[in-house]
């Protein structure tokens, strides 16, 4: 059978699928010049996977991505080399969507402030906290892929929010309120949440101009990829009192630099790229990535292929 490189640690559930299929597993630490030629499959999470490394694995047939985004993988090289890249697009959608709604609730329910008031003996100040509801508020969703759709369902069906969607690449259902221009969404939304892949076009898609278009006091949420927002511009907007709050699960550099401006900006909620790290999502991502590798190595197509042109060109 084949040798599979476990580039990043994954759960035993995924490893057992690979073992059951008869494959030999090695970790990145066990990789050496003697076993590189034997590797036909690879499972990765978020570590960078560059072409110069992939070129050292001449018999690699498939990369199983433990997650959705593939900006950490040299997809151009993989495609040219005939390496199938399979991901797990549905695995973490619910977990990330729930995380986003939780961030929204954090800002309007002011849980931390309420808790601290009680601990400080200021129970009677509850009348001055200034709480609100999600019901009836407007949520702008940028990107209507798997996670965006999951956020929509919870926000629209569960919290009766008014939801606006912007996605120039996906045909949005007619019963979903969508706009053709990002500016329309930004001007109308009380909350803006981003769910796009990281591309040249989405890099810093929320910058000084876009922030100026947002409602004063609006909340910006980024659980997609760190570089889709300009954190310097966001921090300045927070300090100026225009942007009402920022919730981020991702950063341009992870972990964020100690001098990152959002670490000292007001009204910021941060989580350590953990939105997808629920028990359920980890299980689905690990098993899904492992299944993708197993399928390709036995001559089948994985359920989800990021670079289907590899198959069309009849490679590997």
């Amino acid at each position: 059978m084949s040798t599979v490189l476990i580039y990043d640690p994954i759960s035993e559930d995924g490893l057992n699928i690979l073992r059951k299929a008869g494959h030999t597993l090695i970790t990145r630490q066990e990789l050496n010049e003697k076993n590189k030629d034997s590797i036909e499959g690879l499972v990765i999470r978020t570590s960078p996977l560059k072409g110069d490394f992939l070129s050292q694995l001449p018999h690699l047939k498939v990369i199983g991505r433990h997650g959705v985004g593939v900006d950490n993988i040299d997809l151009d090289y993989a495609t040219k080399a005939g390496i199938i890249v399979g991901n797990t697009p549905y695995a973490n959608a619910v977990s990330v969507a729930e995380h986003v709604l939780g961030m929204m609730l954090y800002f309007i329910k002011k849980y931390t402030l309420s808790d601290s008031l009680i601990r400080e003996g200021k129970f009677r100040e509850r009348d001055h906290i200034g709480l609100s509801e999600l019901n009836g508020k407007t949520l702008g969703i940028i990107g209507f892929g798997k996670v965006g759709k999951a956020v929509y369902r919870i926000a629209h069906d569960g919290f009766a929010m008014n939801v606006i969607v912007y996605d120039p690449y996906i045909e949005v259902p007619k019963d979903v309120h969508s706009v053709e221009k990002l500016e329309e969404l930004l001007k109308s939304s009380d909350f803006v949440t981003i769910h796009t892949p990281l591309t040249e076009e989405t890099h810093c898609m929320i910058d000084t101009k876009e922030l100026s278009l947002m409602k004063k006091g609006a909340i910006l949420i980024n659980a997609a990829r760190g570089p889709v927002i300009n954190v310097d511009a966001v921090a300045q907007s927070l300090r100026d009192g225009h942007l009402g709050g920022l919730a981020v699960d991702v950063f341009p550099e992870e972990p964020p630099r100690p001098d990152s401006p959002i670490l000292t900006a007001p009204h910021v909620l941060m989580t350590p790229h953990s939105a997808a790290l629920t028990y359920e999502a980890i299980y689905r991502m690990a098993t899904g990535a492992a299944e993708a590798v197993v399928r390709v190595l036995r001559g089948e197509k994985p359920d989800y292929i990021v670079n289907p042109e590899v198959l069309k060109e009849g490679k590997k």
Side-chain angles (χ1 to χ4, degrees):
M1 300 301 286
S2 302
T3 299
V4 177
L5 173 61
I6 309 302
Y7 201 80
D8 293 320
I10 67 171
S11 80
E12 282 295 316
D13 299 292
L15 298 177
N16 287 336
I17 287 174
L18 293 163
R19 293 184 184 115
K20 188 175 180 180
H23 300 303
T24 300
L25 309 185
I26 64 171
T27 65
R28 199 189 329 178
Q29 292 70 31
E30 296 169 330
L31 187 65
N32 56 52
E33 293 301 324
K34 294 182 179 180
N35 57 28
K36 282 182 178 179
D37 284 354
S38 67
I39 294 171
E40 296 187 6
L42 185 153
V43 177
I44 190 166
R45 291 178 66 174
T46 58
S47 294
L49 191 60
K50 299 184 182 298
D52 57 356
F53 175 81
L54 293 174
S55 67
Q56 301 174 45
L57 309 177
H59 299 109
L60 184 64
K61 297 179 180 179
V62 57
I63 298 170
R65 168 69 170 96
H66 183 288
V68 182
V70 291
D71 50 280
N72 61 315
I73 299 172
D74 191 334
L75 196 59
D76 287 339
Y77 180 89
T79 302
K80 290 175 183 177
I83 302 167
I84 294 173
V85 179
N87 66 344
T88 57
Y90 290 94
N92 62 15
V94 170
S95 293
V96 176
E98 290 182 354
H99 197 88
V100 167
L101 268 294
M103 287 175 151
M104 292 165 60
L105 288 167
Y106 168 89
F107 278 103
I108 65 165
K109 300 302 182 183
K110 302 183 180 178
Y111 296 126
T112 302
L113 174 59
S114 298
D115 180 85
S116 63
L117 288 177
I118 295 173
R119 296 177 188 278
E120 294 168 9
K122 300 177 181 178
F123 189 93
R124 296 302 173 187
E125 292 190 20
R126 62 182 185 175
D127 294 335
H128 308 293
I129 295 174
L131 305 179
S132 189
E133 298 179 348
L134 290 181
N135 187 304
K137 298 293 190 301
T138 298
L139 170 64
I141 300 177
I142 303 174
F144 206 52
K146 308 299 185 300
V147 177
K149 288 183 174 69
V151 172
Y152 175 88
R153 287 193 298 271
I154 299 172
H156 182 270
D157 300 343
F159 286 92
M161 296 186 76
N162 301 315
V163 184
I164 305 172
V165 172
Y166 170 75
D167 194 324
Y169 300 103
I170 292 178
E171 185 175 348
V172 179
K174 292 182 179 180
D175 61 341
V176 175
H177 180 194
S178 63
V179 293
E180 294 184 359
K181 294 184 178 180
L182 177 60
E183 290 81 0
E184 296 179 60
L185 180 147
L186 296 174
K187 291 178 180 179
S188 304
S189 301
D190 301 301
F191 297 86
V192 173
T193 182
I194 306 170
H195 301 289
T196 66
L198 178 60
T199 65
E200 289 185 9
E201 186 173 356
T202 63
H203 186 273
C204 281
M205 69 182 302
I206 301 297
D207 209 330
T208 303
K209 176 186 174 182
E210 290 73 26
L211 292 165
S212 69
L213 295 173
M214 293 178 64
K215 284 184 177 182
K216 181 178 173 59
I219 307 298
L220 176 64
I221 303 167
N222 183 18
R225 286 292 183 266
V228 301
I229 66 173
N230 181 340
V231 292
D232 291 346
V234 171
Q236 189 60 52
S237 183
L238 288 163
R239 291 192 179 97
D240 291 343
H242 179 72
L243 191 64
L246 169 70
V248 288
D249 184 56
V250 289
F251 304 85
E253 295 177 282
E254 296 185 353
R257 305 187 324 269
D259 62 345
S260 175
I262 61 172
L263 294 180
T264 55
H267 311 302
V268 176
L269 170 64
M270 297 176 286
T271 53
H273 204 152
S274 59
L277 300 185
T278 62
Y279 292 113
E280 296 85 353
I282 288 173
Y283 171 83
R284 291 189 293 262
M285 288 187 289
T287 56
E291 285 287 0
V293 170
V294 168
R295 284 176 180 268
V296 172
L297 294 183
R298 67 182 178 212
E300 302 173 2
K301 296 180 182 178
D303 289 335
Y304 307 104
I305 306 176
V306 178
N307 54 346
E309 55 268 41
V310 170
L311 300 180
K312 293 178 183 178
E313 294 175 7
K315 297 177 182 178
K316 287 189 181 181

